[in-house]
Amino acid sequence: MLRPNRPPTSYSAAADSSYPTYSYSYGDYNTTSGSRPGTRRGTGRPSTARPRTGASTIARVERQEVVCAIAESRGISPTVGLSFINIDTGEAVLCQICDSQTYVKTLHKLQVYGPTVILCMSTAASPKSKLFSIIEESLIELGSKLTLLDRRYWSESSGMDYIHDLAFADDVEAIKLSVTGAYYAVCCIAAILKYLDLGCGTTFAARSLRIKFESGQGAMLIDVSTIRSLELVQNLQNPKSRDCLFGLLNETQTLMGARMLRSNVLQPLTDKETIIRRYDAVDELQAKEQMFYATRGALKNFIDADKVLTALIIIPKRPSIYTTEQSINHIIMLKAFVLSVSTVYEALSGARCPILATIREICAPENALPIQRMIEETINEDVTYAKQPLELRNQRTWAVKTGVHGLLDVARQTYKENMADAYQYINELSEEHNMKVDLKYEPARGFYIRISTSEIESRDERHLPVVFTNIVRKKKYIECQTLVLMKRNLKVSIVTSGHTSHLDCVQVMNAYHEVVLCSDAFIQEFIEKVRCHMSALFKMSEAIAMLDMISAFAHLVTVYDYVKPRLTDTLGLKDARHPIREKIMQTKFIPNDVYATQQCRFQIVTGCNMSGKSTFIRSVALLTIMAQIGSFVPARSASFPVMNQLFARVGMDDSIECNVSTFAAEMREMAFILRNIDNHSMAIIDELGRGTSTRDGLAIAIAIAEAMVDSKALVWFATHFRDIATILSERNGVVAMHLAVEVSENDTITMLYKAVGGMVQQAHYGLALASVVPLPPSVLADATLFAHILERRLVQKKKMSANVLNERRRRLILDLKEHLLQAYNGSLEGELLASWLMELQKEFVNRMTSINASVNEDDVEGHIEERDDQPEDEGADMMDEVSEEEEHEDQSRSMVSVTSETLSSARAISENGR
Ligand SMILES: Nc1ncnc2c1ncn2[C@@H]1O[C@H](COP(=O)(O)OP(=O)(O)OP(=O)(O)O)[C@@H](O)[C@H]1O
């Protein structure tokens, strides 16, 4: 469809010679090729990790026209101003972020809003600033085009003027207050609006733009690589598939709702209160069956209100016939929207929770009725949405009600009489030639005749009577003219092009001219009046979007048996399921329990191949996102701490294309994570260090794991390196777990998919799997031999150090402290609490005694091991280097003593409890 007044995808300076821009060739990249391996310098996240699949690897609800402008203050931690204007939904977002040198937050915002055009200052391009280079390298991924503008368009005073003129009257003061100090963001909005005005001829009507200010806080930061690898909005194998988190959750019924959901999946909330309010809304909606069905019914067939409202607030510099014709369509759609809004009000009667009650209030008749009445008083009830040229022409002529505009009524009467002639002529033609003849109209051709070939003898146009001329065959139809019709077209075309001097039909022309002029002017005046209600209308649209998202969550609760999460300091899941896997799997999905606190924040997950490690750790991340957007989760009970950042390094693709430097890409991703991770972050890491030699891979994995333990983040670390679990398991905050399997007598392994404590016990599961594949028997026999040699060497070297024992003691005491604090803050009281504390004390004493006792045993064991001379085995030399790794074990453990402070505080709490 023709879309006039859209910003050109690559701006040409010719549009306005007074508007200096610089041509930039990034728009020429084939954004769908996905085969441009490279790295994103400075971002830390590699672009080689996986093949790219589309204009943006992240599926959009639909591609929208979004213009973004960007500006920054340079420094150690740069401040970046970003503004976005969505031309399809009439929404402007300003943000100012304190970013790091990797510009991770800036890239996140760009990814979330997916701009089609990014405006940068020309000065940032020569010499290239770091931010400029990073954006330049991300263009393909973002599917954006870069346009350089003169620096002078980033003007704070113009930005403030724009905000003053364009923001809704009710919001203007609040917005001005919130953007105070956000100098860069305000400059950016000025640059975009200037670009749209001068470059694209698009301006917005006064007091009609939805302007929002977003601070850097308030949303969980999920970087681009994580979005992709967790398949949050797009399935990696099949971009069109719904098997991604957004696809699963997208039970919305309106486009506004779907857009809101997508934006939430990409930036989940971090404000506890808001999340809880959403839970309450979902809870109420799913519990009240009648309200739920009434709401779902009311949301059906809602038009894309954002689009319609935006079309009404955009003022094109050079209105075309298209924009004029569409105006009435927009009014008709607006009427449909306000009518539907009232059904939502009724559906929500009896709503109690704050979100549903507020939505109902916004959709109340007193807000929608004035607009509905305005439309009903002005526009004919039987005028419908028109697409075909003749329909549009009739719509434009007859849309305004009789009696509203006197001059228009007179002009229309004259026109009607003349048009009746045309239809009478066609009827006569039909009768005369005994065939069905249709009158059609196109602006360029005027009136013409269309006849189905079935009406003509042997379907051959040569059999048409001679009165029909200019014959063209179009599939099953024949289109033609007659002399009379051509004469009429001449009149009409003279009228529409503004010449009123045709000799014999001045009356007809004047009548039509009058109709169109009066009608168009009247409709524009009417739209001006509608614009006064834009603030209320956009609020309704947002309310509908929110209700739609909430009702989609409620729908999922009923269909998939989800549970309402609680927000606490502990991550605890009972019978958690992977939301996407459980939906697509033919067999039953085995649920798992998850528990993580500061004392078990780093969870090393081991297990056989295909035992479900990746599925397990991914489900933790996906459930956390679901919980933080306000959705219920697939589990029997669930509690989550609010996370500010989520990182995932999972599912490395091994295709040749992206394996150019699998290891380098992996290391860059890990460097990025380590730079940004903190105690409010969650990370899931799968099979780290497999892209290099076993020895180096293990060493690097251990070092990275150590750093992650120190970060105090919640981490799930799936690995086939069992040594990592051995080495780190004594460290405070670390727990080892594995996915259980059952080994039968004939060495076949059955996956149980159950996460249980401790390290995987099966030593040679890789060999077991290889035998199933199967490898040639001789190769398999050699592999088994080498595996046994290696195992013996490792056993020889194992000894318990004093450091390990100290770590065990420390850990035991910290565990005790955590339990005491939980008891202190929990609901246990009186007798129950006292007996629980006694149990705790007993268990503590037992475990401490057994640790102390193990000192002597280990001394003896170590002594025996040292004396035990092992014969040199074939192939042992090959294994030497691997066993050396064990010697580094001690270095990775730090000696930490238990402070008397910790003990006394634990004691104090314990005594309080008693
Ligand atoms: N909890 C579960 N219940 C049922 N089936 C499961 C479960 N978890 C995983 N599976 C099945 O097992 C398959 C393998 O799972 P996954 O890829 O998570 O294993 P993995 O241990 O990470 O494998 P590898 O170590 O070889 O990468 C999945 O495709 C899925 O079909």
PDB file of all heavy atoms in Angstrom, residues 766-793:
ATOM      1  N   GLY A 766      30.338 -40.295  28.406  1.00  0.00           N
ATOM      2  CA  GLY A 766      30.680 -39.952  27.019  1.00  0.00           C
ATOM      3  C   GLY A 766      30.932 -41.229  26.228  1.00  0.00           C
ATOM      4  O   GLY A 766      30.487 -41.379  25.088  1.00  0.00           O
ATOM      5  N   LEU A 767      31.643 -42.182  26.883  1.00  0.00           N
ATOM      6  CA  LEU A 767      31.941 -43.460  26.221  1.00  0.00           C
ATOM      7  C   LEU A 767      30.653 -44.240  25.976  1.00  0.00           C
ATOM      8  O   LEU A 767      30.475 -44.861  24.939  1.00  0.00           O
ATOM      9  CB  LEU A 767      32.884 -44.290  27.091  1.00  0.00           C
ATOM     10  CG  LEU A 767      34.317 -43.752  27.225  1.00  0.00           C
ATOM     11  CD1 LEU A 767      35.104 -44.607  28.208  1.00  0.00           C
ATOM     12  CD2 LEU A 767      35.011 -43.719  25.880  1.00  0.00           C
ATOM     13  N   ALA A 768      29.753 -44.155  26.966  1.00  0.00           N
ATOM     14  CA  ALA A 768      28.488 -44.883  26.822  1.00  0.00           C
ATOM     15  C   ALA A 768      27.710 -44.361  25.627  1.00  0.00           C
ATOM     16  O   ALA A 768      27.167 -45.124  24.830  1.00  0.00           O
ATOM     17  CB  ALA A 768      27.668 -44.742  28.099  1.00  0.00           C
ATOM     18  N   LEU A 769      27.692 -43.042  25.501  1.00  0.00           N
ATOM     19  CA  LEU A 769      26.965 -42.447  24.381  1.00  0.00           C
ATOM     20  C   LEU A 769      27.637 -42.796  23.057  1.00  0.00           C
ATOM     21  O   LEU A 769      26.977 -43.119  22.074  1.00  0.00           O
ATOM     22  CB  LEU A 769      26.890 -40.927  24.550  1.00  0.00           C
ATOM     23  CG  LEU A 769      25.982 -40.227  23.549  1.00  0.00           C
ATOM     24  CD1 LEU A 769      24.521 -40.484  23.874  1.00  0.00           C
ATOM     25  CD2 LEU A 769      26.239 -38.732  23.516  1.00  0.00           C
ATOM     26  N   ALA A 770      29.000 -42.762  23.088  1.00  0.00           N
ATOM     27  CA  ALA A 770      29.743 -43.069  21.867  1.00  0.00           C
ATOM     28  C   ALA A 770      29.467 -44.508  21.419  1.00  0.00           C
ATOM     29  O   ALA A 770      29.437 -44.788  20.223  1.00  0.00           O
ATOM     30  CB  ALA A 770      31.232 -42.867  22.109  1.00  0.00           C
ATOM     31  N   SER A 771      29.241 -45.393  22.368  1.00  0.00           N
ATOM     32  CA  SER A 771      28.995 -46.783  21.992  1.00  0.00           C
ATOM     33  C   SER A 771      27.604 -46.957  21.374  1.00  0.00           C
ATOM     34  O   SER A 771      27.361 -47.875  20.634  1.00  0.00           O
ATOM     35  CB  SER A 771      29.160 -47.711  23.202  1.00  0.00           C
ATOM     36  OG  SER A 771      28.151 -47.401  24.123  1.00  0.00           O
ATOM     37  N   VAL A 772      26.719 -46.026  21.704  1.00  0.00           N
ATOM     38  CA  VAL A 772      25.377 -46.100  21.117  1.00  0.00           C
ATOM     39  C   VAL A 772      25.399 -45.565  19.693  1.00  0.00           C
ATOM     40  O   VAL A 772      24.699 -46.020  18.808  1.00  0.00           O
ATOM     41  CB  VAL A 772      24.374 -45.286  21.974  1.00  0.00           C
ATOM     42  CG1 VAL A 772      22.991 -45.311  21.357  1.00  0.00           C
ATOM     43  CG2 VAL A 772      24.337 -45.839  23.386  1.00  0.00           C
ATOM     44  N   VAL A 773      26.316 -44.596  19.453  1.00  0.00           N
ATOM     45  CA  VAL A 773      26.300 -43.895  18.154  1.00  0.00           C
ATOM     46  C   VAL A 773      26.395 -44.819  16.950  1.00  0.00           C
ATOM     47  O   VAL A 773      25.588 -44.638  16.023  1.00  0.00           O
ATOM     48  CB  VAL A 773      27.382 -42.784  18.151  1.00  0.00           C
ATOM     49  CG1 VAL A 773      27.424 -42.104  16.774  1.00  0.00           C
ATOM     50  CG2 VAL A 773      27.073 -41.773  19.245  1.00  0.00           C
ATOM     51  N   PRO A 774      27.226 -45.825  16.720  1.00  0.00           N
ATOM     52  CA  PRO A 774      28.339 -46.261  17.562  1.00  0.00           C
ATOM     53  C   PRO A 774      29.673 -45.961  16.879  1.00  0.00           C
ATOM     54  O   PRO A 774      29.756 -45.891  15.668  1.00  0.00           O
ATOM     55  CB  PRO A 774      28.110 -47.762  17.606  1.00  0.00           C
ATOM     56  CG  PRO A 774      27.520 -48.065  16.251  1.00  0.00           C
ATOM     57  CD  PRO A 774      26.878 -46.835  15.721  1.00  0.00           C
ATOM     58  N   LEU A 775      30.716 -45.845  17.690  1.00  0.00           N
ATOM     59  CA  LEU A 775      32.080 -45.709  17.156  1.00  0.00           C
ATOM     60  C   LEU A 775      32.583 -47.113  16.815  1.00  0.00           C
ATOM     61  O   LEU A 775      32.123 -48.094  17.403  1.00  0.00           O
ATOM     62  CB  LEU A 775      32.993 -45.109  18.225  1.00  0.00           C
ATOM     63  CG  LEU A 775      33.066 -43.595  18.354  1.00  0.00           C
ATOM     64  CD1 LEU A 775      34.030 -43.250  19.474  1.00  0.00           C
ATOM     65  CD2 LEU A 775      33.496 -42.923  17.066  1.00  0.00           C
ATOM     66  N   PRO A 776      33.596 -47.249  15.926  1.00  0.00           N
ATOM     67  CA  PRO A 776      34.174 -48.579  15.663  1.00  0.00           C
ATOM     68  C   PRO A 776      34.692 -49.183  16.965  1.00  0.00           C
ATOM     69  O   PRO A 776      35.275 -48.469  17.791  1.00  0.00           O
ATOM     70  CB  PRO A 776      35.320 -48.285  14.703  1.00  0.00           C
ATOM     71  CG  PRO A 776      35.005 -46.955  14.110  1.00  0.00           C
ATOM     72  CD  PRO A 776      34.193 -46.213  15.110  1.00  0.00           C
ATOM     73  N   PRO A 777      34.509 -50.504  17.191  1.00  0.00           N
ATOM     74  CA  PRO A 777      34.871 -51.130  18.468  1.00  0.00           C
ATOM     75  C   PRO A 777      36.320 -50.877  18.884  1.00  0.00           C
ATOM     76  O   PRO A 777      36.595 -50.653  20.059  1.00  0.00           O
ATOM     77  CB  PRO A 777      34.622 -52.618  18.209  1.00  0.00           C
ATOM     78  CG  PRO A 777      33.684 -52.659  17.063  1.00  0.00           C
ATOM     79  CD  PRO A 777      33.890 -51.436  16.254  1.00  0.00           C
ATOM     80  N   SER A 778      37.269 -50.892  17.914  1.00  0.00           N
ATOM     81  CA  SER A 778      38.686 -50.712  18.298  1.00  0.00           C
ATOM     82  C   SER A 778      38.907 -49.309  18.862  1.00  0.00           C
ATOM     83  O   SER A 778      39.596 -49.110  19.855  1.00  0.00           O
ATOM     84  CB  SER A 778      39.578 -50.946  17.084  1.00  0.00           C
ATOM     85  OG  SER A 778      39.236 -50.019  16.084  1.00  0.00           O
ATOM     86  N   VAL A 779      38.267 -48.330  18.234  1.00  0.00           N
ATOM     87  CA  VAL A 779      38.426 -46.939  18.715  1.00  0.00           C
ATOM     88  C   VAL A 779      37.823 -46.820  20.102  1.00  0.00           C
ATOM     89  O   VAL A 779      38.403 -46.211  21.011  1.00  0.00           O
ATOM     90  CB  VAL A 779      37.741 -45.956  17.730  1.00  0.00           C
ATOM     91  CG1 VAL A 779      37.795 -44.541  18.261  1.00  0.00           C
ATOM     92  CG2 VAL A 779      38.369 -46.049  16.352  1.00  0.00           C
ATOM     93  N   LEU A 780      36.679 -47.445  20.263  1.00  0.00           N
ATOM     94  CA  LEU A 780      35.995 -47.381  21.550  1.00  0.00           C
ATOM     95  C   LEU A 780      36.838 -48.035  22.642  1.00  0.00           C
ATOM     96  O   LEU A 780      36.951 -47.525  23.769  1.00  0.00           O
ATOM     97  CB  LEU A 780      34.645 -48.094  21.417  1.00  0.00           C
ATOM     98  CG  LEU A 780      33.578 -47.685  22.412  1.00  0.00           C
ATOM     99  CD1 LEU A 780      33.250 -46.209  22.280  1.00  0.00           C
ATOM    100  CD2 LEU A 780      32.328 -48.513  22.191  1.00  0.00           C
ATOM    101  N   ALA A 781      37.501 -49.171  22.307  1.00  0.00           N
ATOM    102  CA  ALA A 781      38.334 -49.883  23.283  1.00  0.00           C
ATOM    103  C   ALA A 781      39.509 -49.002  23.702  1.00  0.00           C
ATOM    104  O   ALA A 781      39.825 -48.882  24.900  1.00  0.00           O
ATOM    105  CB  ALA A 781      38.841 -51.185  22.673  1.00  0.00           C
ATOM    106  N   ASP A 782      40.149 -48.329  22.721  1.00  0.00           N
ATOM    107  CA  ASP A 782      41.263 -47.435  23.050  1.00  0.00           C
ATOM    108  C   ASP A 782      40.796 -46.311  23.950  1.00  0.00           C
ATOM    109  O   ASP A 782      41.443 -45.948  24.940  1.00  0.00           O
ATOM    110  CB  ASP A 782      41.854 -46.832  21.766  1.00  0.00           C
ATOM    111  CG  ASP A 782      42.740 -47.843  21.045  1.00  0.00           C
ATOM    112  OD1 ASP A 782      42.980 -48.919  21.635  1.00  0.00           O
ATOM    113  OD2 ASP A 782      43.156 -47.554  19.906  1.00  0.00           O
ATOM    114  N   ALA A 783      39.637 -45.750  23.595  1.00  0.00           N
ATOM    115  CA  ALA A 783      39.112 -44.626  24.377  1.00  0.00           C
ATOM    116  C   ALA A 783      38.869 -45.060  25.817  1.00  0.00           C
ATOM    117  O   ALA A 783      39.195 -44.335  26.770  1.00  0.00           O
ATOM    118  CB  ALA A 783      37.820 -44.129  23.744  1.00  0.00           C
ATOM    119  N   THR A 784      38.335 -46.261  25.994  1.00  0.00           N
ATOM    120  CA  THR A 784      38.068 -46.765  27.344  1.00  0.00           C
ATOM    121  C   THR A 784      39.360 -46.925  28.120  1.00  0.00           C
ATOM    122  O   THR A 784      39.453 -46.550  29.298  1.00  0.00           O
ATOM    123  CB  THR A 784      37.322 -48.119  27.259  1.00  0.00           C
ATOM    124  OG1 THR A 784      36.257 -47.982  26.322  1.00  0.00           O
ATOM    125  CG2 THR A 784      36.769 -48.551  28.588  1.00  0.00           C
ATOM    126  N   LEU A 785      40.392 -47.445  27.445  1.00  0.00           N
ATOM    127  CA  LEU A 785      41.694 -47.649  28.097  1.00  0.00           C
ATOM    128  C   LEU A 785      42.252 -46.308  28.580  1.00  0.00           C
ATOM    129  O   LEU A 785      42.641 -46.147  29.739  1.00  0.00           O
ATOM    130  CB  LEU A 785      42.665 -48.306  27.102  1.00  0.00           C
ATOM    131  CG  LEU A 785      44.095 -48.443  27.603  1.00  0.00           C
ATOM    132  CD1 LEU A 785      44.169 -49.442  28.755  1.00  0.00           C
ATOM    133  CD2 LEU A 785      45.028 -48.887  26.467  1.00  0.00           C
ATOM    134  N   PHE A 786      42.249 -45.323  27.683  1.00  0.00           N
ATOM    135  CA  PHE A 786      42.790 -44.002  28.049  1.00  0.00           C
ATOM    136  C   PHE A 786      42.015 -43.392  29.199  1.00  0.00           C
ATOM    137  O   PHE A 786      42.579 -42.787  30.111  1.00  0.00           O
ATOM    138  CB  PHE A 786      42.759 -43.050  26.848  1.00  0.00           C
ATOM    139  CG  PHE A 786      43.732 -43.429  25.753  1.00  0.00           C
ATOM    140  CD1 PHE A 786      43.381 -43.290  24.419  1.00  0.00           C
ATOM    141  CD2 PHE A 786      44.996 -43.919  26.060  1.00  0.00           C
ATOM    142  CE1 PHE A 786      44.263 -43.638  23.417  1.00  0.00           C
ATOM    143  CE2 PHE A 786      45.882 -44.270  25.056  1.00  0.00           C
ATOM    144  CZ  PHE A 786      45.529 -44.134  23.731  1.00  0.00           C
ATOM    145  N   ALA A 787      40.726 -43.587  29.171  1.00  0.00           N
ATOM    146  CA  ALA A 787      39.896 -43.014  30.231  1.00  0.00           C
ATOM    147  C   ALA A 787      40.273 -43.601  31.583  1.00  0.00           C
ATOM    148  O   ALA A 787      40.380 -42.880  32.583  1.00  0.00           O
ATOM    149  CB  ALA A 787      38.428 -43.275  29.931  1.00  0.00           C
ATOM    150  N   HIS A 788      40.553 -44.914  31.624  1.00  0.00           N
ATOM    151  CA  HIS A 788      40.906 -45.555  32.900  1.00  0.00           C
ATOM    152  C   HIS A 788      42.272 -45.098  33.385  1.00  0.00           C
ATOM    153  O   HIS A 788      42.481 -44.881  34.581  1.00  0.00           O
ATOM    154  CB  HIS A 788      40.851 -47.075  32.755  1.00  0.00           C
ATOM    155  CG  HIS A 788      39.435 -47.559  32.693  1.00  0.00           C
ATOM    156  ND1 HIS A 788      38.499 -47.233  33.637  1.00  0.00           N
ATOM    157  CD2 HIS A 788      38.788 -48.326  31.782  1.00  0.00           C
ATOM    158  CE1 HIS A 788      37.335 -47.768  33.325  1.00  0.00           C
ATOM    159  NE2 HIS A 788      37.486 -48.444  32.181  1.00  0.00           N
ATOM    160  N   ILE A 789      43.207 -44.937  32.449  1.00  0.00           N
ATOM    161  CA  ILE A 789      44.541 -44.460  32.850  1.00  0.00           C
ATOM    162  C   ILE A 789      44.431 -43.088  33.485  1.00  0.00           C
ATOM    163  O   ILE A 789      44.971 -42.829  34.565  1.00  0.00           O
ATOM    164  CB  ILE A 789      45.479 -44.387  31.616  1.00  0.00           C
ATOM    165  CG1 ILE A 789      45.725 -45.784  31.057  1.00  0.00           C
ATOM    166  CG2 ILE A 789      46.796 -43.721  31.984  1.00  0.00           C
ATOM    167  CD1 ILE A 789      46.337 -45.766  29.673  1.00  0.00           C
ATOM    168  N   LEU A 790      43.693 -42.248  32.816  1.00  0.00           N
ATOM    169  CA  LEU A 790      43.539 -40.872  33.306  1.00  0.00           C
ATOM    170  C   LEU A 790      42.918 -40.867  34.689  1.00  0.00           C
ATOM    171  O   LEU A 790      43.362 -40.161  35.594  1.00  0.00           O
ATOM    172  CB  LEU A 790      42.658 -40.094  32.315  1.00  0.00           C
ATOM    173  CG  LEU A 790      42.273 -38.689  32.732  1.00  0.00           C
ATOM    174  CD1 LEU A 790      43.500 -37.811  32.856  1.00  0.00           C
ATOM    175  CD2 LEU A 790      41.295 -38.081  31.744  1.00  0.00           C
ATOM    176  N   GLU A 791      41.928 -41.704  34.859  1.00  0.00           N
ATOM    177  CA  GLU A 791      41.227 -41.742  36.135  1.00  0.00           C
ATOM    178  C   GLU A 791      42.166 -42.136  37.266  1.00  0.00           C
ATOM    179  O   GLU A 791      42.185 -41.528  38.328  1.00  0.00           O
ATOM    180  CB  GLU A 791      40.085 -42.738  36.027  1.00  0.00           C
ATOM    181  CG  GLU A 791      38.995 -42.518  37.032  1.00  0.00           C
ATOM    182  CD  GLU A 791      37.839 -43.434  36.726  1.00  0.00           C
ATOM    183  OE1 GLU A 791      38.056 -44.668  36.624  1.00  0.00           O
ATOM    184  OE2 GLU A 791      36.731 -42.915  36.567  1.00  0.00           O
ATOM    185  N   ARG A 792      43.013 -43.159  37.011  1.00  0.00           N
ATOM    186  CA  ARG A 792      43.938 -43.616  38.069  1.00  0.00           C
ATOM    187  C   ARG A 792      44.908 -42.519  38.459  1.00  0.00           C
ATOM    188  O   ARG A 792      45.202 -42.307  39.621  1.00  0.00           O
ATOM    189  CB  ARG A 792      44.696 -44.849  37.566  1.00  0.00           C
ATOM    190  CG  ARG A 792      44.129 -46.129  38.159  1.00  0.00           C
ATOM    191  CD  ARG A 792      45.139 -47.255  38.194  1.00  0.00           C
ATOM    192  NE  ARG A 792      45.830 -47.464  36.944  1.00  0.00           N
ATOM    193  CZ  ARG A 792      45.354 -48.198  35.938  1.00  0.00           C
ATOM    194  NH1 ARG A 792      44.167 -48.748  36.023  1.00  0.00           N
ATOM    195  NH2 ARG A 792      46.075 -48.384  34.862  1.00  0.00           N
ATOM    196  N   ARG A 793      45.374 -41.779  37.435  1.00  0.00           N
ATOM    197  CA  ARG A 793      46.343 -40.723  37.726  1.00  0.00           C
ATOM    198  C   ARG A 793      45.705 -39.630  38.579  1.00  0.00           C
ATOM    199  O   ARG A 793      46.336 -39.078  39.465  1.00  0.00           O
ATOM    200  CB  ARG A 793      46.853 -40.087  36.419  1.00  0.00           C
ATOM    201  CG  ARG A 793      47.594 -41.032  35.508  1.00  0.00           C
ATOM    202  CD  ARG A 793      48.870 -41.512  36.140  1.00  0.00           C
ATOM    203  NE  ARG A 793      49.767 -40.417  36.457  1.00  0.00           N
ATOM    204  CZ  ARG A 793      50.955 -40.273  35.901  1.00  0.00           C
ATOM    205  NH1 ARG A 793      51.385 -41.119  34.997  1.00  0.00           N
ATOM    206  NH2 ARG A 793      51.739 -39.273  36.253  1.00  0.00           N
TER     207      ARG A 793
END
